[in-house]
Amino acid sequence: MSQALVTEQKLSNYINGEWVNHDGDYASVVNPANGEHLIDVPLSTKEDVDQAVEAAKVAQKEWALEPAPQRAEVLFRIGAIMKEHKEHLSQILTMENGKVIEEARGEVQEGIDMAFYMAGEGRRLFGHTTPAELKDKFAMSQRAPVGVVGIITPWNFPIAIATWKSFPAIVAGNAVIWKPATETPMMAYEMAKIFEEAGLPKGVVNVVFGKGSQVGDAMVEHPNIRVISFTGSNDTGRMIAGKCGQLLKKVSLEMGGKNAVIVMDDADLDLAVQGIVWSAYGTSGQRCTACSRVIVHEDMKERLEERLLAEMENITIGDGLDEKNKMGPIINEDGLKKIESYMEVGKNEGAKLLAGGYTLEGGDYDKGYYFVPTLFTDVLPDMRIAREEIFGPVLSIIPVKNLDEAIEVNNDVAYGLSSSIFTQDINKVFQAQRDLDTGIVYVNAGTTGAEIHLPFGGTKGTGNGHRDSGQAALDVFTEWKAVYVDFSGKLQRAQIDVE
Ligand code: NAP
């Protein structure tokens, strides 16, 4: 552990406002850029989850009675502290996740934005008032906290996704049990320190480190955790949904993507190339919104390929802490092996490899997990590389004849997270934004770049109808309560005593 930024040897769980040492096993957290051991993370157990839930249950009762604008004050302080420590948080994020420092700063900023945005909800959290159907009667609906909620987050956006989930939960008056991914626990540790410094009452947020199969599963099964908000892979999400279904537990799932950029024959090619390269190779393609398909009008295909190949040459690859690098490592060996396996899949299916296709080796690259930006062309919509989430810097070009076909190809996958179209034709813009079956649509921009005050999530296999971020996130962490006040002084029966 040579990085000065890492000062602890072992992380502790954060339960009931205390740092609780763990007696059992630990896992090593490794910097994917150079293989360096960063810290040890506890592999907690069901008993640790039980302890956290007990604390959360008690804390939530008090927290829910705190006026929402007061709850929001704590979020304002959390946002301010995050802002003060933005560079420190960004450096740690790059070290444990690998994304380049510029992107890490962007992710931390997303968390800061979310803190201030959700703090604003403390003076909104709107319900509705509406006329009652009977005389001398008042009717309204209001949001009520759910109770203790569980959030389970992935390694690829270890801070942003946690803030999309925990901040709306906090402002709405819930208490939170947070299980971060084992690969990226340090951001959760830093956030817990910020919660403490901001004066969040003890037990309102509890961080329990450990494996999904232990800690995550114990959260899903726990009778006193009333909501599970999960972001991660489809396999895990489906399993969690099955269990929550049996337990009649509310579950919000944000899962994979197979996102496409459509390039029409009238597109601004310079802009399209920039948008595609940023969306496909940024974060080494390890974003749920990463572009992994380009659906291009056949008349534009050759020019686009030429320009993409030229632009890809400018992507410098290496340790994300070095400002000159534009692309960092893959998260771990398993991730790298999965990407490598798709190279053979693509070639065997008859796709043409235009660039890349291999793991970088030699010198410092041998210490980390680096895959070169890769471009396949002449890809057919039914090939596996055009349908499955590879989660790496691998892009497939699929030629089409017109917009209708482009939209059909875009929609004909199991996922529905993000899509984009480059065109200068206003009619095509409106047709596309109406017909693209994804939760997010971009026009003349790549497939990434969500803003926190809009809903984030997808259709079909990407989710189960809920959304993170924006006002929509409040629906996950609140129950609607309808309240009727009859001030007539007599029994009035709805639907019966209406004159
Ligand atoms: P993952 O393997 O499903 O893990 C996600 C989280 O679930 C981790 O904290 C993991 O814990 C936990 N987990 C694993 N097994 C579990 C179980 N049996 N019960 C409860 N929790 C369990 O996904 P990942 O590989 O980390 O993340 C990449 C995936 O996330 C991609 O598919 C990507 O598209 C998706 N993603 C989606 C969005 C979105 O908003 N749609 C955003 C970002 C990422 P451990 O890993 O610590 O064991």
Side-chain angles (χ1 to χ4, degrees):
M1 187 167 56
S2 66
Q3 304 275 2
L5 274 167
V6 182
T7 52
E8 313 285 333
Q9 298 294 321
K10 286 180 173 177
L11 296 176
S12 303
N13 288 326
Y14 183 65
I15 297 175
N16 206 22
E18 307 282 335
W19 297 98
V20 180
N21 286 331
H22 172 70
D23 279 343
D25 295 336
Y26 284 79
S28 167
V29 180
V30 170
N31 183 337
N34 53 26
E36 193 171 89
H37 169 76
L38 294 171
I39 208 156
D40 285 330
V41 59
L43 296 178
S44 309
T45 60
K46 179 178 175 307
E47 286 66 41
D48 299 305
V49 174
D50 290 345
Q51 196 189 339
V53 176
E54 278 315 301
K57 254 174 65 184
V58 174
Q60 194 268 330
K61 284 205 169 68
E62 289 295 314
W63 185 239
L65 294 177
E66 198 66 27
Q70 298 303 316
R71 298 197 294 256
E73 283 297 320
V74 184
L75 272 185
F76 278 123
R77 287 201 291 279
I78 289 171
I81 299 169
M82 288 174 75
K83 202 167 169 182
E84 195 185 319
H85 297 306
K86 179 174 170 181
E87 188 56 26
H88 172 75
L89 293 169
S90 308
Q91 301 249 340
I92 290 181
L93 174 50
T94 290
M95 281 163 54
E96 69 173 358
N97 166 284
K99 67 179 62 178
V100 296
I101 187 70
E102 190 185 22
E103 291 182 21
R105 290 184 188 120
E107 182 179 344
V108 174
Q109 186 59 45
E110 202 168 332
I112 296 168
D113 294 344
M114 195 67 193
F116 292 134
Y117 172 67
M118 274 300 154
E121 275 309 312
R123 289 186 186 272
R124 288 189 294 265
L125 281 176
F126 295 130
H128 302 281
T129 57
T130 181
E133 68 183 36
L134 292 163
K135 277 185 186 162
D136 297 331
K137 191 176 171 194
F138 178 82
M140 65 180 170
S141 64
Q142 62 190 30
R143 289 185 185 277
V146 187
V148 178
V149 304
I151 70 175
I152 301 176
T153 52
W155 50 264
N156 72 332
F157 279 86
I159 190 162
I161 292 174
T163 66
W164 295 350
K165 296 177 188 299
S166 61
F167 292 173
I170 291 171
V171 81
N174 300 285
V176 176
I177 313 292
W178 173 17
K179 191 213 92 62
T182 312
E183 283 92 348
T184 52
M186 289 161 72
M187 290 316 294
Y189 170 67
E190 293 296 322
M191 283 308 296
K193 287 200 294 190
I194 290 173
F195 294 146
E196 194 178 32
E197 188 181 340
L200 188 70
K202 60 182 193 173
V204 173
V205 175
N206 304 273
V207 180
V208 183
F209 297 106
K211 284 281 170 201
S213 53
Q214 299 292 317
V215 173
D217 196 53
M219 288 167 64
V220 169
E221 302 259 359
H222 202 294
N224 291 326
I225 295 185
R226 308 240 333 250
V227 171
I228 292 288
S229 176
F230 165 85
T231 296
S233 63
N234 277 62
D235 287 348
T236 311
R238 268 173 212 278
M239 208 218 339
I240 290 176
K243 290 191 176 182
C244 288
Q246 283 298 319
L247 296 165
L248 298 181
K249 189 174 288 200
K250 189 171 180 184
V251 58
S252 165
L253 305 171
E254 291 300 341
M255 301 173 289
K258 192 66 192 174
N259 315 292
V261 168
I262 296 173
V263 182
M264 297 309 298
D265 49 354
D266 64 352
D268 175 337
L269 196 54
D270 285 341
L271 191 60
V273 167
Q274 284 173 40
I276 293 166
V277 167
W278 167 238
S279 303
Y281 303 119
T283 328
S284 311
Q286 301 171 109
R287 293 181 190 142
C288 51
T289 53
C291 169
S292 61
R293 299 181 293 158
V294 172
I295 303 170
V296 61
H297 191 287
E298 57 190 8
D299 295 345
M300 197 59 135
K301 177 174 171 276
E302 240 172 78
R303 275 178 292 158
L304 179 72
E305 285 170 359
E306 247 171 56
R307 297 292 311 282
L308 276 176
L309 288 170
E311 193 68 25
M312 286 163 67
E313 304 262 304
N314 300 326
I315 302 174
T316 39
I317 305 166
D319 189 332
L321 283 180
D322 185 339
E323 303 266 357
K324 79 169 188 313
N325 289 329
K326 296 281 170 240
M327 203 176 102
I330 302 302
I331 187 70
N332 55 29
E333 198 177 350
D334 283 352
L336 190 65
K337 283 199 171 129
K338 180 177 171 195
I339 299 165
E340 283 171 345
S341 73
Y342 274 100
M343 298 305 105
E344 286 315 302
V345 170
K347 285 185 244 170
N348 291 341
E349 284 178 316
K352 187 168 156 200
L353 184 63
L354 275 188
Y358 56 90
T359 294
L360 280 164
E361 284 172 353
D364 284 347
Y365 289 135
D366 285 343
K367 297 185 199 151
Y369 311 106
Y370 294 94
F371 200 84
V372 76
T374 294
L375 186 61
F376 279 106
T377 192
D378 296 334
V379 175
L380 299 175
D382 60 354
M383 290 180 180
R384 280 181 60 197
I385 56 167
R387 306 187 77 77
E388 297 173 15
E389 190 183 46
I390 299 171
F391 228 51
V394 181
L395 183 60
S396 292
I397 294 182
I398 306 172
V400 292
K401 291 192 179 344
N402 53 43
L403 180 59
D404 287 341
E405 190 186 345
I407 291 172
E408 202 179 306
V409 169
N410 178 80
N411 292 349
D412 185 26
V413 288
Y415 303 102
L417 183 52
S418 180
S419 57
S420 131
I421 179 165
F422 284 87
T423 178
Q424 308 205 43
D425 181 335
I426 190 74
N427 295 341
K428 292 194 175 93
V429 167
F430 273 83
Q431 183 188 343
Q433 64 83 24
R434 182 193 63 195
D435 294 343
L436 289 168
D437 186 4
T438 51
I440 306 168
V441 175
Y442 292 93
V443 176
N444 292 329
T447 52
T448 69
E451 299 183 25
I452 55 94
H453 51 299
L454 278 81
F456 185 95
T459 62
K460 300 186 285 185
T462 294
N464 64 340
H466 293 285
R467 292 290 184 271
D468 274 338
S469 218
Q471 295 280 305
L474 294 169
D475 291 335
V476 175
F477 299 108
T478 56
E479 295 278 7
W480 279 112
K481 186 178 282 186
V483 179
Y484 302 95
V485 181
D486 191 318
F487 54 99
S488 69
K490 59 185 183 204
L491 175 68
Q492 298 198 90
R493 296 170 303 171
Q495 294 93 40
I496 295 172
D497 294 333
V498 183
E499 285 157 18

